[in-house]
Amino acid sequence: ANIGVEVASITRQVVFEAESNSNDPLIGGHLIVFGTPNPQYIQGVEFRNFGQQGRLGRYPTHFHDCGDAPGSVLKKNVVRDSNQRSYVIHKTNEVLLQENIAYNNFGHAFFLE
């Protein structure tokens, strides 16, 4: 029998970790790149306890309404223990997503609209 596995490191040296909210444990941090066509480069970061379940637009990593954003890159990042999705690209074009990991997330890992 042939068995295949995928192995990846889910830790990074740079970690953004949101504090837990005792009133609502499903509310974590969120990172949004909003309305800029200027290139953004996010590489090698681990996001823990990000995303806000039930709150529209509050995702661990979110490009929102940037239009054409050539040169923008999300690469080799890890979103883990996400409360809502992982990588969201909304009304933004020309963003490169490459070698990213979503682990133990709620909802879609990669969401493009």
Side-chain angles (χ1 to χ4, degrees), residues 5-111:
V5 298
E6 293 185 23
V7 177
S9 172
I10 60 170
T11 60
R12 300 292 184 268
Q13 290 186 352
V14 176
V15 178
F16 294 164
E17 184 169 9
E19 292 182 6
S20 293
N21 182 332
S22 60
N23 295 324
D24 191 344
L26 300 178
I27 301 299
H30 69 99
L31 180 143
I32 186 167
V33 176
F34 183 77
T36 179
N38 298 325
Q40 307 298 308
Y41 198 84
I42 303 167
Q43 179 176 334
V45 178
E46 180 180 345
F47 299 91
R48 292 185 199 156
N49 191 35
F50 268 50
Q52 299 180 359
Q53 197 171 116
R55 294 188 180 176
L56 187 64
R58 300 297 187 247
Y59 312 115
T61 59
H62 182 194
F63 276 74
H64 181 80
D65 203 16
C66 296
D68 292 331
S72 289
V73 176
L74 275 169
K75 184 176 181 180
K76 297 184 179 181
N77 300 293
V78 174
V79 172
R80 61 189 289 193
D81 304 324
S82 166
N83 300 308
Q84 179 166 258
R85 301 184 175 137
S86 292
Y87 303 92
V88 176
I89 309 296
H90 179 227
K91 294 175 66 178
T92 302
N93 306 309
E94 301 183 63
V95 176
L96 174 66
L97 282 86
Q98 187 175 47
E99 300 177 45
N100 294 293
I101 296 170
Y103 177 76
N104 194 30
N105 60 293
F106 180 85
H108 303 291
F110 297 88
F111 189 78

